[in-house]
Amino acid sequence: MIDIRAAAAGDSAAIAAIYAPHVIAGTVSFETDPPDARAMRKRIEASGGLYPWLVMTDGEAGDQPVVGYAYATRFRDRPAYRHVVETSIYIAGPAQRRGAGRLLYEALIDTLRAQGFTQAIGAIALPNDASIRVHEAVGFRRAGVLREVGYKHGQWIDVGFWQCELNAPTIPPAEPRPFSEVGLARL
């Protein structure tokens, strides 16, 4: 049975295990050393209760029930960007291309909407048709491309930016509500 819930500190080892292959062998992450469970726990804690970290579990997955995770972070450091988030999603190999990513990403987007954020930005290392499909399936639209901005595994990599309007901007804008207050939203 598939379930989506808020990530807990105890999920950090499973999250690190899902992420590691993307760091070691892939180009979708620009990190070169995979973070361990402790580093992932610190990243979850660094959200300060404002930004959601979600995990997808599968009761039939045996000893590793966490099969994916998605999260939002601050888009940029300046205060005027505080209504915008950057999002990421990673799905374990066996759960990929089975609709899990879309379900998990929809839960993240619904939660960000409930919190009152206005825009979500997805940064995608290109080419990556699967990531583009899941982003566009949940409402993201291509916003632009930065050419050859990452160098990994002997190649230069472009990064595409996709943008999703979460809520219509208002003047003045309402402050986003913390994830710790809102919780997982199912809109």
Side-chain angles (χ1 to χ4, degrees):
M1 182 173 110
I2 297 289
D3 187 40
I4 298 171
R5 61 174 172 76
D11 297 319
S12 57
I15 289 170
I18 291 168
Y19 186 52
H22 298 285
V23 174
I24 294 167
T27 58
V28 299
S29 168
F30 283 7
E31 291 193 71
T32 55
D33 297 313
D36 62 11
R38 189 155 108 205
M40 282 300 191
R41 184 174 32 256
K42 285 182 181 178
R43 291 178 188 189
I44 294 168
E45 291 167 354
S47 71
L50 179 60
Y51 303 105
W53 277 72
L54 306 179
V55 294
M56 175 178 272
T57 60
D58 183 352
E60 299 176 14
D63 63 347
Q64 179 142 347
V66 175
V67 296
Y69 71 100
Y71 64 96
T73 60
R74 177 188 313 222
F75 172 62
R76 295 283 185 260
D77 200 28
R78 305 290 191 263
Y81 289 116
R82 70 187 176 277
H83 306 282
V84 179
V85 294
E86 185 169 340
T87 58
S88 293
I89 181 170
Y90 291 92
I91 305 295
Q96 291 176 358
R97 293 172 182 47
R98 297 173 53 202
R102 182 176 179 160
L103 290 173
L104 181 56
Y105 223 169
E106 285 173 343
L108 179 65
I109 295 301
D110 288 348
T111 299
L112 294 167
R113 281 190 172 114
Q115 288 182 259
F117 288 104
T118 60
Q119 301 287 331
I121 307 297
I124 304 172
L126 301 174
N128 190 336
D129 292 341
S131 186
I132 291 169
R133 276 193 302 275
V134 75
H135 278 81
E136 291 182 350
V138 300
F140 284 80
R141 297 294 168 249
R142 186 179 177 146
V145 175
L146 301 176
R147 305 273 177 219
E148 299 176 337
V149 294
Y151 184 80
K152 188 174 178 185
H153 299 309
Q155 63 182 326
W156 283 102
I157 304 159
D158 296 346
V159 174
F161 287 92
W162 269 252
Q163 183 172 349
C164 178
E165 183 176 299
L166 301 170
N167 290 293
T170 60
I171 298 175
E175 290 300 319
R177 294 171 43 216
F179 177 60
S180 58
E181 265 181 36
V182 174
L184 179 64
R186 306 278 175 141
L187 300 177

PDB file of all heavy atoms in Angstrom, residues 136-171:
ATOM      1  N   GLU A 136       5.836  18.681 -15.716  1.00  0.00           N
ATOM      2  CA  GLU A 136       4.741  19.232 -16.519  1.00  0.00           C
ATOM      3  C   GLU A 136       3.401  18.582 -16.178  1.00  0.00           C
ATOM      4  O   GLU A 136       2.355  19.236 -16.251  1.00  0.00           O
ATOM      5  CB  GLU A 136       5.078  19.125 -18.000  1.00  0.00           C
ATOM      6  CG  GLU A 136       6.218  20.074 -18.366  1.00  0.00           C
ATOM      7  CD  GLU A 136       6.600  20.072 -19.829  1.00  0.00           C
ATOM      8  OE1 GLU A 136       6.122  19.204 -20.604  1.00  0.00           O
ATOM      9  OE2 GLU A 136       7.401  20.962 -20.214  1.00  0.00           O
ATOM     10  N   ALA A 137       3.411  17.336 -15.745  1.00  0.00           N
ATOM     11  CA  ALA A 137       2.172  16.649 -15.369  1.00  0.00           C
ATOM     12  C   ALA A 137       1.514  17.281 -14.147  1.00  0.00           C
ATOM     13  O   ALA A 137       0.295  17.189 -13.986  1.00  0.00           O
ATOM     14  CB  ALA A 137       2.443  15.169 -15.106  1.00  0.00           C
ATOM     15  N   VAL A 138       2.313  17.919 -13.291  1.00  0.00           N
ATOM     16  CA  VAL A 138       1.752  18.544 -12.086  1.00  0.00           C
ATOM     17  C   VAL A 138       1.634  20.058 -12.213  1.00  0.00           C
ATOM     18  O   VAL A 138       1.374  20.736 -11.231  1.00  0.00           O
ATOM     19  CB  VAL A 138       2.525  18.136 -10.801  1.00  0.00           C
ATOM     20  CG1 VAL A 138       2.477  16.636 -10.599  1.00  0.00           C
ATOM     21  CG2 VAL A 138       3.950  18.647 -10.813  1.00  0.00           C
ATOM     22  N   GLY A 139       1.836  20.590 -13.413  1.00  0.00           N
ATOM     23  CA  GLY A 139       1.557  22.007 -13.634  1.00  0.00           C
ATOM     24  C   GLY A 139       2.739  22.919 -13.880  1.00  0.00           C
ATOM     25  O   GLY A 139       2.560  24.130 -14.027  1.00  0.00           O
ATOM     26  N   PHE A 140       3.951  22.394 -13.918  1.00  0.00           N
ATOM     27  CA  PHE A 140       5.112  23.244 -14.206  1.00  0.00           C
ATOM     28  C   PHE A 140       5.170  23.533 -15.703  1.00  0.00           C
ATOM     29  O   PHE A 140       4.787  22.700 -16.527  1.00  0.00           O
ATOM     30  CB  PHE A 140       6.413  22.547 -13.798  1.00  0.00           C
ATOM     31  CG  PHE A 140       6.690  22.537 -12.322  1.00  0.00           C
ATOM     32  CD1 PHE A 140       6.068  21.620 -11.487  1.00  0.00           C
ATOM     33  CD2 PHE A 140       7.599  23.423 -11.768  1.00  0.00           C
ATOM     34  CE1 PHE A 140       6.337  21.586 -10.138  1.00  0.00           C
ATOM     35  CE2 PHE A 140       7.882  23.402 -10.418  1.00  0.00           C
ATOM     36  CZ  PHE A 140       7.251  22.483  -9.589  1.00  0.00           C
ATOM     37  N   ARG A 141       5.713  24.702 -16.044  1.00  0.00           N
ATOM     38  CA  ARG A 141       5.948  25.086 -17.430  1.00  0.00           C
ATOM     39  C   ARG A 141       7.382  25.567 -17.571  1.00  0.00           C
ATOM     40  O   ARG A 141       7.925  26.191 -16.663  1.00  0.00           O
ATOM     41  CB  ARG A 141       4.987  26.206 -17.864  1.00  0.00           C
ATOM     42  CG  ARG A 141       3.522  25.797 -17.828  1.00  0.00           C
ATOM     43  CD  ARG A 141       3.208  24.709 -18.858  1.00  0.00           C
ATOM     44  NE  ARG A 141       1.905  24.124 -18.631  1.00  0.00           N
ATOM     45  CZ  ARG A 141       1.707  22.880 -18.208  1.00  0.00           C
ATOM     46  NH1 ARG A 141       2.716  22.080 -17.968  1.00  0.00           N
ATOM     47  NH2 ARG A 141       0.491  22.404 -18.028  1.00  0.00           N
ATOM     48  N   ARG A 142       7.965  25.291 -18.729  1.00  0.00           N
ATOM     49  CA  ARG A 142       9.351  25.675 -18.979  1.00  0.00           C
ATOM     50  C   ARG A 142       9.510  27.188 -18.865  1.00  0.00           C
ATOM     51  O   ARG A 142       8.743  27.942 -19.457  1.00  0.00           O
ATOM     52  CB  ARG A 142       9.763  25.203 -20.365  1.00  0.00           C
ATOM     53  CG  ARG A 142      11.216  25.425 -20.661  1.00  0.00           C
ATOM     54  CD  ARG A 142      11.544  24.916 -22.045  1.00  0.00           C
ATOM     55  NE  ARG A 142      12.935  25.199 -22.346  1.00  0.00           N
ATOM     56  CZ  ARG A 142      13.703  24.434 -23.055  1.00  0.00           C
ATOM     57  NH1 ARG A 142      13.222  23.309 -23.567  1.00  0.00           N
ATOM     58  NH2 ARG A 142      14.947  24.756 -23.297  1.00  0.00           N
ATOM     59  N   ALA A 143      10.519  27.619 -18.107  1.00  0.00           N
ATOM     60  CA  ALA A 143      10.771  29.040 -17.900  1.00  0.00           C
ATOM     61  C   ALA A 143      12.083  29.490 -18.525  1.00  0.00           C
ATOM     62  O   ALA A 143      12.271  30.677 -18.756  1.00  0.00           O
ATOM     63  CB  ALA A 143      10.767  29.359 -16.403  1.00  0.00           C
ATOM     64  N   GLY A 144      13.012  28.570 -18.774  1.00  0.00           N
ATOM     65  CA  GLY A 144      14.278  28.958 -19.387  1.00  0.00           C
ATOM     66  C   GLY A 144      15.352  27.920 -19.168  1.00  0.00           C
ATOM     67  O   GLY A 144      15.171  26.958 -18.422  1.00  0.00           O
ATOM     68  N   VAL A 145      16.492  28.129 -19.825  1.00  0.00           N
ATOM     69  CA  VAL A 145      17.620  27.200 -19.747  1.00  0.00           C
ATOM     70  C   VAL A 145      18.909  27.978 -19.540  1.00  0.00           C
ATOM     71  O   VAL A 145      19.133  29.005 -20.198  1.00  0.00           O
ATOM     72  CB  VAL A 145      17.738  26.351 -21.036  1.00  0.00           C
ATOM     73  CG1 VAL A 145      18.981  25.472 -21.002  1.00  0.00           C
ATOM     74  CG2 VAL A 145      16.494  25.496 -21.230  1.00  0.00           C
ATOM     75  N   LEU A 146      19.729  27.501 -18.645  1.00  0.00           N
ATOM     76  CA  LEU A 146      21.087  28.010 -18.472  1.00  0.00           C
ATOM     77  C   LEU A 146      22.015  27.000 -19.121  1.00  0.00           C
ATOM     78  O   LEU A 146      21.996  25.814 -18.774  1.00  0.00           O
ATOM     79  CB  LEU A 146      21.423  28.186 -16.987  1.00  0.00           C
ATOM     80  CG  LEU A 146      20.518  29.142 -16.211  1.00  0.00           C
ATOM     81  CD1 LEU A 146      20.907  29.151 -14.742  1.00  0.00           C
ATOM     82  CD2 LEU A 146      20.602  30.546 -16.790  1.00  0.00           C
ATOM     83  N   ARG A 147      22.806  27.425 -20.051  1.00  0.00           N
ATOM     84  CA  ARG A 147      23.661  26.536 -20.839  1.00  0.00           C
ATOM     85  C   ARG A 147      24.986  26.260 -20.141  1.00  0.00           C
ATOM     86  O   ARG A 147      25.636  27.179 -19.639  1.00  0.00           O
ATOM     87  CB  ARG A 147      23.944  27.148 -22.217  1.00  0.00           C
ATOM     88  CG  ARG A 147      22.705  27.509 -22.994  1.00  0.00           C
ATOM     89  CD  ARG A 147      22.197  26.334 -23.779  1.00  0.00           C
ATOM     90  NE  ARG A 147      20.960  26.700 -24.454  1.00  0.00           N
ATOM     91  CZ  ARG A 147      19.945  25.888 -24.563  1.00  0.00           C
ATOM     92  NH1 ARG A 147      20.005  24.681 -24.100  1.00  0.00           N
ATOM     93  NH2 ARG A 147      18.845  26.275 -25.174  1.00  0.00           N
ATOM     94  N   GLU A 148      25.339  24.975 -20.114  1.00  0.00           N
ATOM     95  CA  GLU A 148      26.646  24.502 -19.654  1.00  0.00           C
ATOM     96  C   GLU A 148      27.077  25.125 -18.323  1.00  0.00           C
ATOM     97  O   GLU A 148      28.161  25.669 -18.189  1.00  0.00           O
ATOM     98  CB  GLU A 148      27.689  24.758 -20.743  1.00  0.00           C
ATOM     99  CG  GLU A 148      27.346  24.016 -22.023  1.00  0.00           C
ATOM    100  CD  GLU A 148      28.285  24.309 -23.173  1.00  0.00           C
ATOM    101  OE1 GLU A 148      28.944  25.373 -23.187  1.00  0.00           O
ATOM    102  OE2 GLU A 148      28.350  23.461 -24.080  1.00  0.00           O
ATOM    103  N   VAL A 149      26.220  24.987 -17.320  1.00  0.00           N
ATOM    104  CA  VAL A 149      26.515  25.573 -16.010  1.00  0.00           C
ATOM    105  C   VAL A 149      27.017  24.558 -14.988  1.00  0.00           C
ATOM    106  O   VAL A 149      27.465  24.937 -13.912  1.00  0.00           O
ATOM    107  CB  VAL A 149      25.295  26.335 -15.438  1.00  0.00           C
ATOM    108  CG1 VAL A 149      24.982  27.553 -16.288  1.00  0.00           C
ATOM    109  CG2 VAL A 149      24.083  25.432 -15.312  1.00  0.00           C
ATOM    110  N   GLY A 150      26.945  23.271 -15.319  1.00  0.00           N
ATOM    111  CA  GLY A 150      27.461  22.240 -14.426  1.00  0.00           C
ATOM    112  C   GLY A 150      28.427  21.341 -15.178  1.00  0.00           C
ATOM    113  O   GLY A 150      28.203  21.017 -16.347  1.00  0.00           O
ATOM    114  N   TYR A 151      29.490  20.962 -14.497  1.00  0.00           N
ATOM    115  CA  TYR A 151      30.451  20.049 -15.112  1.00  0.00           C
ATOM    116  C   TYR A 151      30.571  18.824 -14.217  1.00  0.00           C
ATOM    117  O   TYR A 151      30.951  18.929 -13.051  1.00  0.00           O
ATOM    118  CB  TYR A 151      31.822  20.721 -15.268  1.00  0.00           C
ATOM    119  CG  TYR A 151      32.813  19.842 -15.997  1.00  0.00           C
ATOM    120  CD1 TYR A 151      32.792  19.748 -17.383  1.00  0.00           C
ATOM    121  CD2 TYR A 151      33.744  19.082 -15.295  1.00  0.00           C
ATOM    122  CE1 TYR A 151      33.685  18.929 -18.059  1.00  0.00           C
ATOM    123  CE2 TYR A 151      34.638  18.261 -15.954  1.00  0.00           C
ATOM    124  CZ  TYR A 151      34.609  18.191 -17.341  1.00  0.00           C
ATOM    125  OH  TYR A 151      35.483  17.376 -17.999  1.00  0.00           O
ATOM    126  N   LYS A 152      30.198  17.672 -14.762  1.00  0.00           N
ATOM    127  CA  LYS A 152      30.224  16.436 -13.983  1.00  0.00           C
ATOM    128  C   LYS A 152      30.394  15.260 -14.929  1.00  0.00           C
ATOM    129  O   LYS A 152      29.823  15.265 -16.029  1.00  0.00           O
ATOM    130  CB  LYS A 152      28.922  16.295 -13.176  1.00  0.00           C
ATOM    131  CG  LYS A 152      28.923  15.142 -12.194  1.00  0.00           C
ATOM    132  CD  LYS A 152      27.667  15.148 -11.340  1.00  0.00           C
ATOM    133  CE  LYS A 152      27.655  13.967 -10.408  1.00  0.00           C
ATOM    134  NZ  LYS A 152      26.409  13.884  -9.648  1.00  0.00           N
ATOM    135  N   HIS A 153      31.152  14.272 -14.510  1.00  0.00           N
ATOM    136  CA  HIS A 153      31.395  13.067 -15.301  1.00  0.00           C
ATOM    137  C   HIS A 153      31.901  13.387 -16.706  1.00  0.00           C
ATOM    138  O   HIS A 153      31.488  12.785 -17.699  1.00  0.00           O
ATOM    139  CB  HIS A 153      30.142  12.184 -15.377  1.00  0.00           C
ATOM    140  CG  HIS A 153      29.642  11.694 -14.053  1.00  0.00           C
ATOM    141  ND1 HIS A 153      30.455  11.072 -13.129  1.00  0.00           N
ATOM    142  CD2 HIS A 153      28.410  11.756 -13.503  1.00  0.00           C
ATOM    143  CE1 HIS A 153      29.742  10.760 -12.072  1.00  0.00           C
ATOM    144  NE2 HIS A 153      28.505  11.169 -12.263  1.00  0.00           N
ATOM    145  N   GLY A 154      32.793  14.365 -16.779  1.00  0.00           N
ATOM    146  CA  GLY A 154      33.448  14.686 -18.036  1.00  0.00           C
ATOM    147  C   GLY A 154      32.593  15.407 -19.062  1.00  0.00           C
ATOM    148  O   GLY A 154      32.925  15.409 -20.246  1.00  0.00           O
ATOM    149  N   GLN A 155      31.510  16.039 -18.617  1.00  0.00           N
ATOM    150  CA  GLN A 155      30.657  16.751 -19.572  1.00  0.00           C
ATOM    151  C   GLN A 155      30.051  17.997 -18.947  1.00  0.00           C
ATOM    152  O   GLN A 155      29.858  18.074 -17.742  1.00  0.00           O
ATOM    153  CB  GLN A 155      29.539  15.834 -20.072  1.00  0.00           C
ATOM    154  CG  GLN A 155      28.592  15.385 -18.975  1.00  0.00           C
ATOM    155  CD  GLN A 155      27.524  14.440 -19.484  1.00  0.00           C
ATOM    156  OE1 GLN A 155      27.064  14.562 -20.598  1.00  0.00           O
ATOM    157  NE2 GLN A 155      27.140  13.489 -18.655  1.00  0.00           N
ATOM    158  N   TRP A 156      29.768  18.967 -19.798  1.00  0.00           N
ATOM    159  CA  TRP A 156      29.048  20.159 -19.380  1.00  0.00           C
ATOM    160  C   TRP A 156      27.555  19.874 -19.461  1.00  0.00           C
ATOM    161  O   TRP A 156      27.087  19.224 -20.389  1.00  0.00           O
ATOM    162  CB  TRP A 156      29.401  21.340 -20.281  1.00  0.00           C
ATOM    163  CG  TRP A 156      30.749  21.901 -19.948  1.00  0.00           C
ATOM    164  CD1 TRP A 156      31.909  21.700 -20.632  1.00  0.00           C
ATOM    165  CD2 TRP A 156      31.070  22.712 -18.825  1.00  0.00           C
ATOM    166  NE1 TRP A 156      32.944  22.350 -20.000  1.00  0.00           N
ATOM    167  CE2 TRP A 156      32.450  22.985 -18.883  1.00  0.00           C
ATOM    168  CE3 TRP A 156      30.339  23.242 -17.773  1.00  0.00           C
ATOM    169  CZ2 TRP A 156      33.108  23.756 -17.942  1.00  0.00           C
ATOM    170  CZ3 TRP A 156      30.995  24.020 -16.830  1.00  0.00           C
ATOM    171  CH2 TRP A 156      32.362  24.266 -16.920  1.00  0.00           C
ATOM    172  N   ILE A 157      26.812  20.376 -18.472  1.00  0.00           N
ATOM    173  CA  ILE A 157      25.392  20.067 -18.355  1.00  0.00           C
ATOM    174  C   ILE A 157      24.578  21.360 -18.318  1.00  0.00           C
ATOM    175  O   ILE A 157      24.906  22.294 -17.569  1.00  0.00           O
ATOM    176  CB  ILE A 157      25.127  19.242 -17.073  1.00  0.00           C
ATOM    177  CG1 ILE A 157      25.987  17.983 -17.092  1.00  0.00           C
ATOM    178  CG2 ILE A 157      23.653  18.909 -16.925  1.00  0.00           C
ATOM    179  CD1 ILE A 157      26.197  17.361 -15.740  1.00  0.00           C
ATOM    180  N   ASP A 158      23.529  21.402 -19.125  1.00  0.00           N
ATOM    181  CA  ASP A 158      22.570  22.511 -19.099  1.00  0.00           C
ATOM    182  C   ASP A 158      21.584  22.279 -17.956  1.00  0.00           C
ATOM    183  O   ASP A 158      21.307  21.136 -17.568  1.00  0.00           O
ATOM    184  CB  ASP A 158      21.761  22.569 -20.396  1.00  0.00           C
ATOM    185  CG  ASP A 158      22.602  22.858 -21.627  1.00  0.00           C
ATOM    186  OD1 ASP A 158      23.775  23.278 -21.483  1.00  0.00           O
ATOM    187  OD2 ASP A 158      22.080  22.665 -22.740  1.00  0.00           O
ATOM    188  N   VAL A 159      21.032  23.364 -17.450  1.00  0.00           N
ATOM    189  CA  VAL A 159      19.984  23.277 -16.430  1.00  0.00           C
ATOM    190  C   VAL A 159      18.777  24.048 -16.919  1.00  0.00           C
ATOM    191  O   VAL A 159      18.874  25.228 -17.266  1.00  0.00           O
ATOM    192  CB  VAL A 159      20.458  23.840 -15.073  1.00  0.00           C
ATOM    193  CG1 VAL A 159      19.305  23.886 -14.070  1.00  0.00           C
ATOM    194  CG2 VAL A 159      21.602  23.021 -14.513  1.00  0.00           C
ATOM    195  N   GLY A 160      17.654  23.352 -16.964  1.00  0.00           N
ATOM    196  CA  GLY A 160      16.395  23.988 -17.328  1.00  0.00           C
ATOM    197  C   GLY A 160      15.623  24.354 -16.078  1.00  0.00           C
ATOM    198  O   GLY A 160      15.691  23.658 -15.057  1.00  0.00           O
ATOM    199  N   PHE A 161      14.913  25.462 -16.152  1.00  0.00           N
ATOM    200  CA  PHE A 161      14.069  25.886 -15.045  1.00  0.00           C
ATOM    201  C   PHE A 161      12.612  25.773 -15.464  1.00  0.00           C
ATOM    202  O   PHE A 161      12.228  26.235 -16.535  1.00  0.00           O
ATOM    203  CB  PHE A 161      14.400  27.319 -14.609  1.00  0.00           C
ATOM    204  CG  PHE A 161      15.692  27.400 -13.868  1.00  0.00           C
ATOM    205  CD1 PHE A 161      16.874  27.660 -14.532  1.00  0.00           C
ATOM    206  CD2 PHE A 161      15.738  27.184 -12.501  1.00  0.00           C
ATOM    207  CE1 PHE A 161      18.076  27.705 -13.860  1.00  0.00           C
ATOM    208  CE2 PHE A 161      16.932  27.229 -11.812  1.00  0.00           C
ATOM    209  CZ  PHE A 161      18.110  27.488 -12.496  1.00  0.00           C
ATOM    210  N   TRP A 162      11.832  25.116 -14.620  1.00  0.00           N
ATOM    211  CA  TRP A 162      10.393  24.979 -14.815  1.00  0.00           C
ATOM    212  C   TRP A 162       9.728  25.705 -13.663  1.00  0.00           C
ATOM    213  O   TRP A 162      10.226  25.690 -12.529  1.00  0.00           O
ATOM    214  CB  TRP A 162      10.003  23.504 -14.842  1.00  0.00           C
ATOM    215  CG  TRP A 162      10.007  22.920 -16.208  1.00  0.00           C
ATOM    216  CD1 TRP A 162       8.900  22.566 -16.936  1.00  0.00           C
ATOM    217  CD2 TRP A 162      11.124  22.616 -17.050  1.00  0.00           C
ATOM    218  NE1 TRP A 162       9.275  22.070 -18.161  1.00  0.00           N
ATOM    219  CE2 TRP A 162      10.638  22.097 -18.261  1.00  0.00           C
ATOM    220  CE3 TRP A 162      12.506  22.760 -16.922  1.00  0.00           C
ATOM    221  CZ2 TRP A 162      11.445  21.711 -19.316  1.00  0.00           C
ATOM    222  CZ3 TRP A 162      13.328  22.376 -17.960  1.00  0.00           C
ATOM    223  CH2 TRP A 162      12.802  21.857 -19.149  1.00  0.00           C
ATOM    224  N   GLN A 163       8.594  26.345 -13.936  1.00  0.00           N
ATOM    225  CA  GLN A 163       7.912  27.169 -12.941  1.00  0.00           C
ATOM    226  C   GLN A 163       6.445  26.770 -12.862  1.00  0.00           C
ATOM    227  O   GLN A 163       5.807  26.518 -13.880  1.00  0.00           O
ATOM    228  CB  GLN A 163       8.038  28.639 -13.346  1.00  0.00           C
ATOM    229  CG  GLN A 163       7.451  29.612 -12.369  1.00  0.00           C
ATOM    230  CD  GLN A 163       7.792  31.059 -12.745  1.00  0.00           C
ATOM    231  OE1 GLN A 163       8.612  31.316 -13.611  1.00  0.00           O
ATOM    232  NE2 GLN A 163       7.152  31.992 -12.087  1.00  0.00           N
ATOM    233  N   CYS A 164       5.933  26.732 -11.635  1.00  0.00           N
ATOM    234  CA  CYS A 164       4.538  26.379 -11.391  1.00  0.00           C
ATOM    235  C   CYS A 164       3.905  27.441 -10.502  1.00  0.00           C
ATOM    236  O   CYS A 164       4.402  27.695  -9.390  1.00  0.00           O
ATOM    237  CB  CYS A 164       4.460  25.018 -10.699  1.00  0.00           C
ATOM    238  SG  CYS A 164       2.792  24.474 -10.271  1.00  0.00           S
ATOM    239  N   GLU A 165       2.833  28.072 -10.995  1.00  0.00           N
ATOM    240  CA  GLU A 165       2.109  29.014 -10.142  1.00  0.00           C
ATOM    241  C   GLU A 165       1.311  28.216  -9.131  1.00  0.00           C
ATOM    242  O   GLU A 165       0.500  27.362  -9.484  1.00  0.00           O
ATOM    243  CB  GLU A 165       1.170  29.909 -10.949  1.00  0.00           C
ATOM    244  CG  GLU A 165       0.478  30.925 -10.062  1.00  0.00           C
ATOM    245  CD  GLU A 165      -0.391  31.909 -10.813  1.00  0.00           C
ATOM    246  OE1 GLU A 165       0.163  32.648 -11.655  1.00  0.00           O
ATOM    247  OE2 GLU A 165      -1.610  31.928 -10.550  1.00  0.00           O
ATOM    248  N   LEU A 166       1.560  28.493  -7.872  1.00  0.00           N
ATOM    249  CA  LEU A 166       0.861  27.799  -6.781  1.00  0.00           C
ATOM    250  C   LEU A 166      -0.383  28.558  -6.357  1.00  0.00           C
ATOM    251  O   LEU A 166      -1.439  27.974  -6.145  1.00  0.00           O
ATOM    252  CB  LEU A 166       1.810  27.625  -5.590  1.00  0.00           C
ATOM    253  CG  LEU A 166       3.084  26.839  -5.867  1.00  0.00           C
ATOM    254  CD1 LEU A 166       4.041  26.947  -4.695  1.00  0.00           C
ATOM    255  CD2 LEU A 166       2.755  25.388  -6.179  1.00  0.00           C
ATOM    256  N   ASN A 167      -0.221  29.853  -6.178  1.00  0.00           N
ATOM    257  CA  ASN A 167      -1.310  30.738  -5.787  1.00  0.00           C
ATOM    258  C   ASN A 167      -1.127  32.060  -6.521  1.00  0.00           C
ATOM    259  O   ASN A 167       0.013  32.475  -6.758  1.00  0.00           O
ATOM    260  CB  ASN A 167      -1.292  30.999  -4.270  1.00  0.00           C
ATOM    261  CG  ASN A 167      -1.675  29.771  -3.468  1.00  0.00           C
ATOM    262  OD1 ASN A 167      -2.812  29.322  -3.533  1.00  0.00           O
ATOM    263  ND2 ASN A 167      -0.735  29.224  -2.723  1.00  0.00           N
ATOM    264  N   ALA A 168      -2.217  32.715  -6.838  1.00  0.00           N
ATOM    265  CA  ALA A 168      -2.123  34.012  -7.493  1.00  0.00           C
ATOM    266  C   ALA A 168      -1.461  35.007  -6.547  1.00  0.00           C
ATOM    267  O   ALA A 168      -1.784  35.048  -5.358  1.00  0.00           O
ATOM    268  CB  ALA A 168      -3.513  34.503  -7.884  1.00  0.00           C
ATOM    269  N   PRO A 169      -0.531  35.785  -7.067  1.00  0.00           N
ATOM    270  CA  PRO A 169       0.111  36.785  -6.210  1.00  0.00           C
ATOM    271  C   PRO A 169      -0.879  37.885  -5.827  1.00  0.00           C
ATOM    272  O   PRO A 169      -1.711  38.297  -6.639  1.00  0.00           O
ATOM    273  CB  PRO A 169       1.249  37.327  -7.072  1.00  0.00           C
ATOM    274  CG  PRO A 169       0.903  36.987  -8.467  1.00  0.00           C
ATOM    275  CD  PRO A 169      -0.006  35.801  -8.431  1.00  0.00           C
ATOM    276  N   THR A 170      -0.797  38.327  -4.603  1.00  0.00           N
ATOM    277  CA  THR A 170      -1.642  39.414  -4.112  1.00  0.00           C
ATOM    278  C   THR A 170      -0.745  40.554  -3.638  1.00  0.00           C
ATOM    279  O   THR A 170       0.441  40.353  -3.373  1.00  0.00           O
ATOM    280  CB  THR A 170      -2.534  38.951  -2.946  1.00  0.00           C
ATOM    281  OG1 THR A 170      -1.694  38.508  -1.874  1.00  0.00           O
ATOM    282  CG2 THR A 170      -3.470  37.829  -3.369  1.00  0.00           C
ATOM    283  N   ILE A 171      -1.329  41.718  -3.509  1.00  0.00           N
ATOM    284  CA  ILE A 171      -0.586  42.874  -3.001  1.00  0.00           C
ATOM    285  C   ILE A 171      -1.357  43.420  -1.821  1.00  0.00           C
ATOM    286  O   ILE A 171      -2.508  43.834  -1.980  1.00  0.00           O
ATOM    287  CB  ILE A 171      -0.420  43.947  -4.096  1.00  0.00           C
ATOM    288  CG1 ILE A 171       0.398  43.357  -5.240  1.00  0.00           C
ATOM    289  CG2 ILE A 171       0.251  45.198  -3.528  1.00  0.00           C
ATOM    290  CD1 ILE A 171       0.542  44.249  -6.432  1.00  0.00           C
TER     291      ILE A 171
END
